[in-house]
């Protein structure tokens, strides 16, 4: 199940970024008393009581602009559209302001759960707390993000609203199409669907939302997610509609089962192409590098090999990548993409029996002795698989400090030779364990 999205909204300087940093456990958002410091939308993964989610920090809603009403509406609309749960952050010291009332009026129209937080109540002051019941958003939660007070109770309420596995609709295999603008994502979706479900245009940035389209092919259910093209950050205006589209594209990666990273094969591979592939890799998603517009490339017998060599060089951090050369315009090999999506998802879902896994690790250790340091040699005690999507293994050793990254990579390569994990990342975690335990 995809990680739920939790958006924090509210006017400037109420403590959204401080809350964001406290919950995520590291200083990601800039925290400063000057209103309006956070201009970008910032994502980070977080966990509370075993529930994993993605937290979105947002810029503050200002009330000193002529466009105040539009600003409120834009902030609230994005939060209501993206998030599974909305945290409405207010300032208990400043009290209930007209801007809070205006945001609350919008939030009362959404079907999304809203959790009201009243921040800066550092000394358990409750005099102003009761004023916030007037907003009609349920019980206000008193917190002090600076002092870490009340945050646990607030998060307890937030995670109550997360969907359960049973509540999730069976939408089949979810496939997200991501890439730069104008690489042909929408054209590929339309070709697979057989009709023009999404707008196709030569103008970059036509698709501004992540559009989900369920369909069935040969009795198998799929959901295709067409996303906005992701340009380099400096090419996007801070408060533009395009920036919000990019937010939705990032969220789509998180909730997809498989990601198609679409490149334009008629153009050189760019830094942004590589950056987008890196985002998918970091998210641990099985993926396919889809080289679109193959009909525009002049070919000979070695063209595919040359392209694959270039991909291997540019994407050296994801040597497991699968590539497919297609043309959305002509339909060349596009239907193969559905079969490949099923295949790489099955690789990401593979569970290796513990006995077989340890046989493979033992064979690898016999073939190449583990490293030693200061007279101490690394000993591999045993291994087990702890999760799938991506396949994640824990290797127990005598001392994890002795595990060199190169030997860890060697063990991953040994697993890949023994089992077909093409198209998916593999995670290996190392933990120390005394031999007599």
């Amino acid at each position: 199940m995809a990680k739920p999205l939790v958006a924090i909204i509210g006017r400037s300087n109420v403590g959204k970024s401080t809350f964001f940093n406290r919950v995520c456990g590291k200083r990601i958002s800039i925290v400063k008393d000057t209103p309006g410091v956070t201009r970008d939308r910032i994502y980070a993964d977080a966990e509370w009581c075993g529930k994993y989610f993605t937290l979105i920090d947002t810029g503050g809603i200002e009330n000193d602009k002529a466009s105040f009403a539009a600003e409120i509406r834009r902030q609230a609309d994005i939060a209501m559209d993206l998030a599974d749960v909305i945290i409405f952050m207010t300032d208990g010291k400043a009290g209930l302001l007209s801007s809070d009332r205006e945001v609350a009026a919008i939030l009362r129209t959404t079907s999304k759960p809203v959790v009201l937080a009243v921040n800066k109540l550092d000394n358990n002051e409750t005099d102003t707390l009761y004023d916030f019941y007037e907003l009609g958003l349920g019980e206000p939660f008193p917190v002090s993000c600076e002092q870490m007070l009340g945050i646990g109770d607030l998060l307890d309420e937030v995670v109550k609203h997360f969907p359960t596995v049973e509540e999730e609709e069976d939408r089949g295999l979810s496939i997200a199409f991501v890439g730069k603008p104008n690489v042909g994502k929408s054209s590929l979706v339309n070709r697979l669907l057989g009709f023009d479900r999404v707008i196709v245009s030569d103008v970059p940035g036509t698709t501004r939302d992540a559009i989900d389209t369920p369909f069935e092919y040969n009795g198998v259910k799929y959901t295709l997610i067409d996303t906005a093209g992701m340009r380099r950050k400096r090419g996007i205006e801070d408060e533009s509609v395009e920036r919000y589209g990019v937010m939705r594209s990032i969220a789509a990666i998180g909730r997809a089962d498989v990601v198609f990273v679409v490149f334009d094969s008629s153009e050189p591979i760019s830094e942004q192409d590589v950056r987008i592939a890196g985002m998918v890799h970091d998210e641990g998603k099985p993926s396919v590098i889809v080289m679109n517009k193959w009909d525009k490339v002049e070919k000979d017998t070695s063209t595919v090999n040359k392209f694959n060599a270039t991909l291997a060089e540019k994407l050296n951090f994801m040597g497991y990548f699968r590539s497919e050369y297609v043309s959305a315009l002509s339909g060349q090999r596009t239907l193969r993409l559905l079969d490949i999506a099923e295949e790489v998802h099955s690789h990401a879902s593979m569970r290796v029996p513990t006995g077989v896994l340890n046989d493979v690790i033992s064979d690898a250790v016999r073939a190449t002795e583990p490293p030693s340091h200061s007279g101490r040699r690394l000993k591999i005690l045993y291994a087990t698989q702890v999760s799938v999507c991506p396949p994640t293994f824990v290797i127990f050793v005598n001392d994890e400090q002795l595990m060199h990254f190169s030997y860890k990579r060697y063990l991953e390569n040994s697993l890949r030779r023994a089992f077909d994990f093409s198209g998916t990342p593999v995670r290996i975690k190392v933990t120390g364990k005394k031999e007599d335990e």
Side-chain angles (χ1 to χ4, degrees):
M1 187 170 66
K3 291 191 289 289
L5 289 172
V6 178
I8 319 164
I9 71 166
R11 54 187 176 80
S12 295
N13 209 30
V14 295
K16 299 185 301 298
S17 294
T18 303
F19 175 80
F20 179 87
N21 290 336
R22 292 285 190 264
V23 173
C24 296
K26 50 188 174 182
R27 193 179 179 88
I28 302 170
S29 290
I30 300 170
V31 178
K32 193 176 179 182
D33 288 337
T34 305
V37 170
T38 303
R39 293 185 61 82
D40 298 332
R41 274 69 188 153
I42 302 173
Y43 284 77
D45 289 334
E47 179 266 338
W48 181 252
C49 295
K51 301 290 183 68
Y52 293 86
F53 58 98
T54 299
L55 197 61
I56 311 170
D57 189 18
T58 68
I61 297 171
E62 301 286 357
N63 62 359
D64 59 351
K65 299 179 182 177
S67 59
F68 175 50
E71 181 81 3
I72 291 175
R73 169 61 67 178
R74 181 163 52 186
Q75 291 274 1
D77 282 350
I78 292 302
M80 290 189 292
D81 182 35
L82 278 176
D84 296 289
V85 182
I86 300 166
I87 296 175
F88 179 26
M89 187 72 68
T90 59
D91 184 340
K93 281 187 177 177
L96 183 60
L97 303 184
S98 60
S99 55
D100 297 322
R101 292 186 176 92
E102 294 190 46
V103 178
I106 298 170
L107 293 179
R108 286 197 297 270
T109 67
T110 183
S111 59
K112 302 288 181 69
V114 178
V115 180
L116 176 59
V118 183
N119 190 26
K120 303 187 182 179
L121 299 182
D122 301 339
N123 299 311
N124 231 6
E125 313 102 323
T126 57
D127 292 347
T128 61
L129 181 66
Y130 299 103
D131 296 339
F132 289 87
Y133 280 96
E134 178 188 326
L135 297 177
L137 295 174
E139 180 183 357
F141 284 80
V143 298
S144 169
C145 297
E146 192 66 43
Q147 303 296 328
M148 289 289 288
L149 299 175
I151 290 180
D153 291 337
L154 177 64
L155 291 176
D156 284 342
E157 182 64 22
V158 168
V159 300
K160 283 180 185 177
H161 298 287
F162 289 172
T164 63
V165 175
E166 291 76 16
E167 291 170 339
E168 290 236 320
E169 179 186 357
D170 179 16
R171 290 153 51 89
L173 191 70
S174 294
I175 305 171
F177 293 70
V178 302
K180 295 187 306 185
N182 212 31
V183 294
K185 300 181 296 296
S186 298
S187 298
L188 282 168
V189 171
N190 288 339
R191 171 63 68 172
L192 289 170
L193 294 171
F195 63 96
D196 288 344
R197 170 63 179 83
V198 292
I199 299 169
V200 177
S201 169
D202 288 335
V203 179
T206 303
T207 302
R208 287 174 172 169
D209 294 324
I211 302 172
D212 292 24
T213 307
F215 84 113
E216 194 169 310
Y217 179 75
N218 284 345
V220 180
K221 289 182 178 180
Y222 299 92
T223 296
L224 304 186
I225 308 172
D226 188 27
T227 68
M230 291 188 277
R231 287 195 293 156
R232 296 188 67 177
K233 182 179 175 182
R234 66 168 175 254
I236 305 174
E237 293 180 14
D238 282 342
E239 298 299 332
S240 66
V241 174
E242 183 183 353
R243 171 142 294 176
Y244 299 142
V246 172
M247 290 170 59
R248 294 184 178 97
S249 299
I250 296 170
I253 293 173
R255 60 190 174 88
D257 298 312
V258 175
V259 180
F260 287 164
V261 187
V262 184
F263 290 2
D264 182 344
S265 58
S266 67
E267 296 182 351
I269 297 171
S270 68
E271 288 183 12
Q272 182 65 358
D273 289 320
V274 175
R275 188 176 292 111
I276 293 168
M279 291 168 56
V280 177
H281 169 75
D282 291 342
E283 194 66 24
K285 296 293 180 177
S287 60
V288 181
I289 305 299
V290 180
M291 302 296 291
N292 191 27
K293 305 186 184 182
W294 191 236
D295 53 300
K296 293 185 176 181
V297 176
E298 294 186 10
K299 307 172 192 67
D300 56 35
T301 55
S302 62
T303 303
V304 171
N305 290 335
K306 290 177 181 176
F307 270 75
N308 279 335
T310 302
L311 284 173
E313 178 186 352
K314 297 286 187 179
L315 306 178
N316 56 5
F317 57 89
M318 52 186 300
Y320 56 84
F321 73 85
R322 288 284 301 271
S323 60
E324 186 66 14
Y325 296 83
V326 306
S327 169
L329 184 64
S330 69
Q332 180 185 17
R333 285 192 289 273
T334 52
L335 279 178
R336 275 178 47 83
L337 292 174
L338 296 178
D339 293 333
I340 295 173
E342 294 279 359
E343 187 179 333
V344 298
H345 185 255
S346 70
H347 296 166
S349 306
M350 185 189 307
R351 283 200 175 272
V352 179
T354 301
V356 176
L357 172 64
N358 282 278
D359 286 345
V360 171
I361 295 294
S362 296
D363 289 345
V365 169
R366 280 194 292 270
T368 302
E369 195 174 50
S372 61
H373 181 70
S374 299
R376 298 190 66 221
R377 184 168 298 282
L378 175 71
K379 292 184 180 179
I380 308 287
L381 305 179
Y382 63 94
T384 187
Q385 184 174 0
V386 293
S387 63
V388 297
C389 294
T392 303
F393 303 90
V394 174
I395 297 179
F396 293 90
V397 300
N398 59 330
D399 183 352
E400 62 266 32
Q401 300 300 320
L402 297 174
M403 176 67 81
H404 193 269
F405 76 90
S406 61
Y407 198 76
K408 186 177 176 182
R409 185 172 55 199
Y410 162 72
L411 293 176
E412 178 185 336
N413 290 336
S414 298
L415 291 174
R416 289 188 179 278
R417 283 193 295 271
F419 312 104
D420 191 351
F421 287 127
S422 58
T424 181
V426 169
R427 302 284 189 253
I428 294 180
K429 300 177 180 179
V430 180
T431 186
K433 184 179 178 66
K434 294 180 181 178
E435 295 177 67
D436 57 354
E437 287 185 0

